[in-house]
Structure formats: structure tokens, C-alpha cells
Amino acid sequence: MQCHVCKSKVLPVISFGDMPIANNFQTYNSINDYRFELATGFCEICALFQIIEQPDPSKMFHSGYPFFTGLSSTMVAHFKKVADELIKELKTSTTDPFVVEVGSNDGTFLVNFVNAKIRHLGVDPSKNVVELAKSRGVNSTDVFFGELTALQILKDYGAADVIFGANVICHLPNMEDFAKGIKILLSSRGKFVFEEPYIGSMIEKTSFDQVYDEHIFIFGVTSVARIFSRFGLELVDAVRQETHGGSMRYTIQHQGVSSKSSRMQELEKQELEDGLLDLSVYLGFAEKCEEKKQKLLSILRQLKQKGKRIAGYAATSKSTTILNYCGIDRNLIEFIVDSTPEKQGTFTPGSLIPVVSDNDLRMKEIDYFVLFAWNHQKEIIAKEVSKGNSDFKWITFVPDVEVLS
Ligand code: TMP
Ligand code: ZN
């Protein structure tokens, strides 16, 4: 049990038990029962919460990767706003800027740079999403980002004025290779901007479903500053974001280029006060996970006993952790609706609950929907209301297990 970053000893926090790969949706023809233990730990040196054993990345990111950023209108709007801010800044500060996105998925973020006629490159190991991005005019390549890729990009395009990443840096087990790549590719005054689910939000809300194979790290301001300082890079700014149920946007530059923003220093102070640098907070979190599991199971069982019919809403990656940790199967949740065509007609990993379209007629017969995409609550409920489904009842489990009124 070594920290993935500093190799010192990791202190155990909680194990969620045997898990399948979160995005390994099953079909009749290809049942894949690969499992790994989803155990978590905390490194006191890096102040970093992490999963201990990580499956082989090629099992997670491949040509069948079923996640498409562009399916959420909230995320499309969010990335347009970030892109517009960066474009404005680049146009005044740099002639012929160059922007790289790590984990560029379907090009939702970079398409804004296509429209602004700014040189760009998307890097993503999943071929299917890269093809989709290319079809939208986004210059993209299907490789993993690291030192070697950075050297190649530097040779082909020159240094990057902005490197961006969203919900992807926490996927990378080899922080050393990654950070060296950033150090190589970033121009002298360039900015590496990335956003990820925030440890402070996960602890506040006991949103343990943020923990799954792809999320090796749940970062905080202190841990990000410590990690990148090992590689001659400096965290200079951090801002909280609403996305993914509570994220943080980090800005990193070469050491000594800019001074640390005061809002970032405030956040560092807050993390210290909230105990995010100490194991005890994480052990308290582990207890709350167990309580939440029992409470959710008891509500679902009570409703079932009353003869109520329950379905799930959105077969998110996060739902794999909650379904398998709680041992929920189709006896409790009949099916899960999801708008992703690639997920429809499949079964959820491990729990084998059928995934159907979010226009499935059987939705009308359901009494309660468990909202697995709790981070998209507003968008989803508004969508169902606009479809005439204002009578749907919703069960959420973040921050607390409750039936929404
Ligand atoms: P995320 O929480 O990782 O963004 O995953 C979102 C999942 O939720 C994805 O499988 C698509 C699904 N989803 C719907 O089915 N309907 C919706 O309205 C939204 C926003 C997401
Ligand atoms: Zn460490």
C-alpha cells in the first residue's frame, strides 16, 4: 500500500469491496466479470485521498468508452464559459496561441477554440470519442498523455499557452509521467488549468460514489500544490465549481511565474481547519459511508414491502460504486434509464440492472426514481417536468438519503 505519488505508506480508509469496472456495461454476448478491490487510503505526506489498487487503464479507456461530455447541456454550457474566458485572455496576451486539452473526449471544450480559430489539439486515449471530436472539426489524437506525448506535441506544434483538463487528471495513476509532460509542454508563462471533483465536497456530502476505478485521486488544494511542486510546477489559483457535485478548478504555472492568489490561500487555510490533512476526518467519512448504505437500503426495502415500483435515473459511473457496495440488484431497482444510446440495452456492471432509454414507456409505471446523477438534479427534473412527468417522485442520497418533495 504505497502512495501512487510519493511512494510512502498509505493509511487505509475504507474498502467498498469487490467492484467491476464502473463503465463496463454488460451485454448478453459479452459478460465480463473482471473485479478488483475498491479500497481507499490516505497519504499524510501528500494529504492525498486515493484508491489503493487500480485496474489496468486499458480496461477502462478504450474504443468502447461510453461517456460523452456533450450529452449534458449543463456541462456544454460550463465548458463554453471556461473556454470563452480563456479565449479572451489568450487573444490579448499571446499572438497565435496554442491550446492543448488532455482527455478531450468528444471535443465539447475544444470546439469553442475551433470557432475562435485558435490552434488546438485534443489528446484522449479512447478512439471512439476522438473520432467524434474529429467529425466536429476538433483536431484530436488518440493517445495517453505523458512525457513522450508531450515531447512529440512540442516538436509538432510548439509549446502550449494553455493546457486544459477536466475530470481527467484524477484518472492518471502515473502522476510523475503526467507532470513531467506538463512541465515539458507548457510555455514559459503558460497555464495548466484543470478541474476535478473536490475532496472537500466529497467529505461534506459523503458522496462516496465519486470513488470508482477511474478516480484514483480525489484532489484538494493542498494535495495538488504538494504533488506539482515535486516537478517544478506551482499551484497559483484555485476556485470552487458547482459541476460534478462539487469540483475545484486549479491553475498551475512554472514555479515562480506568478504569486499565489489570496482565494487559493484562503482555501488552503480552510482545508487545514477542516482537518482534510488528517486521517481522522477520513475515518469519520468511512463511518458515514456505512450509515448511508444502511439508510438507502432500508428506504428501498420499505418501499418495496409497500409494493412500490422503483427504477433508477442515469446509469452513471458513480452508480457502479453505490449499487455494488450496497448490493442493490434488480430485485430493488427494476431498471435504470439513461440518455446515452451506447448504454441503452446493456446491464449495469456487477449489479446487472437493465439500462433502458429515458423515453421508455415503462417509466410511467414507476413510483420512485433513485437519482444516480444527483449532480445533474436540476437539469434532469426540469427535463422530466417538461416531458409532462411532474408527478415523478425522486430519491436522492446526496447529501442525505431522502425522498425529494
Ligand atoms: P456524469 O454524472 O458522470 O456526468 O454522468 C452522467 C450520466 O447521466 C450519463 O450516463 C448520461 C446520464 N444522463 C441522463 O441519462 N439524462 C440526463 O439528463 C443527464 C444530464 C445525464
Ligand atoms: Zn503521497
Side-chain angles (χ1 to χ4, degrees):
M1 289 205 285
Q2 273 187 344
C3 169
H4 292 288
V5 179
C6 74
K7 309 299 174 205
S8 66
K9 193 166 175 277
V10 161
L11 308 167
V13 174
I14 179 172
S15 170
F16 296 103
D18 275 352
M19 281 286 153
I21 302 280
N23 269 307
N24 214 334
F25 288 84
Q26 307 286 301
T27 60
Y28 276 117
N29 303 331
S30 68
I31 290 288
N32 175 338
D33 54 9
Y34 173 84
R35 301 256 172 175
F36 72 104
E37 191 196 350
L38 185 59
T40 65
F42 180 66
C43 170
E44 287 183 310
I45 309 279
C46 303
L48 183 58
F49 178 87
Q50 53 197 281
I51 67 175
I52 290 169
E53 181 198 347
Q54 199 232 346
D56 174 0
S58 68
K59 286 195 161 52
M60 301 186 279
F61 310 110
H62 45 64
S63 59
Y65 190 61
F67 182 82
F68 302 91
T69 312
L71 283 178
S72 162
S73 58
T74 315
M75 293 311 288
V76 172
H78 172 78
F79 288 127
K80 178 162 191 326
K81 191 157 168 266
V82 192
D84 285 348
E85 281 167 24
L86 289 168
I87 289 168
K88 203 168 144 205
E89 200 182 310
L90 282 171
K91 283 200 164 159
T92 53
S93 66
T94 321
T95 46
D96 192 23
F98 175 49
V99 176
V100 171
E101 185 181 14
V102 180
S104 43
N105 197 268
D106 57 10
T108 296
F109 170 76
L110 282 180
V111 80
N112 298 292
F113 295 82
V114 177
N115 299 338
K117 301 196 166 45
I118 289 181
R119 285 193 306 132
H120 62 273
L121 175 68
V123 183
D124 197 299
S126 300
K127 208 177 170 77
N128 60 331
V129 291
V130 163
E131 289 308 317
L132 188 57
K134 282 184 184 166
S135 74
R136 303 168 75 188
V138 176
N139 184 31
S140 317
T141 176
D142 57 335
V143 289
F144 278 98
F145 184 86
E147 201 176 349
L148 286 179
T149 307
L151 285 167
Q152 190 61 49
I153 299 174
L154 186 69
K155 194 165 144 243
D156 294 346
Y157 297 85
D161 302 291
V162 168
I163 303 176
F164 184 75
N167 310 305
V168 68
I169 313 308
C170 69
H171 293 179
L172 308 171
N174 192 342
M175 272 292 151
E176 180 171 350
D177 184 43
F178 175 76
K180 283 183 176 165
I182 297 290
K183 185 77 191 163
I184 288 165
L185 187 56
L186 199 61
S187 71
S188 58
R189 299 195 62 82
K191 289 181 176 173
F192 167 41
V193 179
F194 71 103
E195 41 184 77
E196 307 285 317
Y198 179 51
I199 187 70
S201 305
M202 186 187 85
I203 297 293
E204 255 161 49
K205 301 177 181 175
T206 320
S207 47
F208 62 80
D209 55 347
Q210 288 293 2
V211 183
Y212 57 92
D213 52 88
E214 294 176 17
H215 289 178
I216 301 161
F217 306 112
I218 310 286
F219 293 121
V221 175
T222 312
S223 56
V224 164
R226 288 187 186 174
I227 293 167
F228 286 93
S229 71
R230 305 169 76 89
F231 304 98
L233 293 161
E234 193 172 9
L235 178 64
V236 294
D237 192 23
V239 194
R240 282 188 90 147
Q241 307 292 317
E242 294 281 314
T243 47
H244 285 287
S247 298
M248 187 72 76
R249 181 180 304 149
Y250 304 96
T251 301
I252 298 226
Q253 293 195 285
H254 289 291
Q255 209 119 44
V257 172
S258 300
S259 48
K260 287 181 180 184
S261 71
S262 51
R263 60 186 178 187
M264 172 200 150
Q265 294 180 48
E266 274 306 308
L267 286 161
E268 269 183 319
K269 215 168 96 200
Q270 193 64 49
E271 288 186 356
L272 184 68
E273 280 171 19
D274 292 346
L276 292 177
L277 279 48
D278 303 317
L279 179 68
S280 59
V281 161
Y282 298 90
L283 296 178
F285 162 79
E287 270 174 36
K288 288 187 197 149
C289 291
E290 192 55 30
E291 285 164 17
K292 186 170 266 194
K293 167 182 174 176
Q294 298 308 338
K295 195 165 169 194
L296 179 62
L297 279 171
S298 117
I299 286 199
L300 296 180
R301 286 179 184 143
Q302 277 169 26
L303 290 172
K304 268 291 178 206
Q305 270 165 9
K306 289 186 193 152
K308 300 293 182 196
R309 294 185 60 182
I310 309 168
Y313 203 107
T316 55
S317 332
K318 298 192 291 291
S319 70
T320 298
T321 298
I322 194 139
L323 291 168
N324 288 279
Y325 171 55
C326 297
I328 296 172
D329 59 15
R330 58 198 293 188
N331 290 318
L332 283 176
I333 290 184
E334 295 180 34
F335 56 83
I336 302 184
V337 306
D338 196 286
S339 58
T340 317
E342 284 75 6
K343 293 184 185 176
Q344 296 164 5
T346 67
F347 298 88
T348 56
S351 46
L352 299 179
I353 299 172
V355 182
V356 305
S357 154
D358 56 346
N359 288 314
D360 196 288
L361 292 174
R362 284 169 294 176
M363 288 171 78
K364 299 277 186 203
E365 300 162 12
I366 291 298
D367 298 302
Y368 291 88
F369 285 93
V370 180
L371 188 54
F372 290 111
W374 51 268
N375 49 316
H376 298 294
Q377 179 173 321
K378 269 197 205 136
E379 180 176 347
I380 287 174
I381 297 184
K383 185 157 102 183
E384 289 306 323
V385 168
S386 76
K387 279 159 67 182
N389 296 326
S390 42
D391 55 338
F392 278 5
K393 291 197 217 49
W394 302 90
I395 298 172
T396 186
F397 46 84
V398 177
D400 297 308
V401 180
E402 63 178 332
V403 177
L404 296 177
S405 49

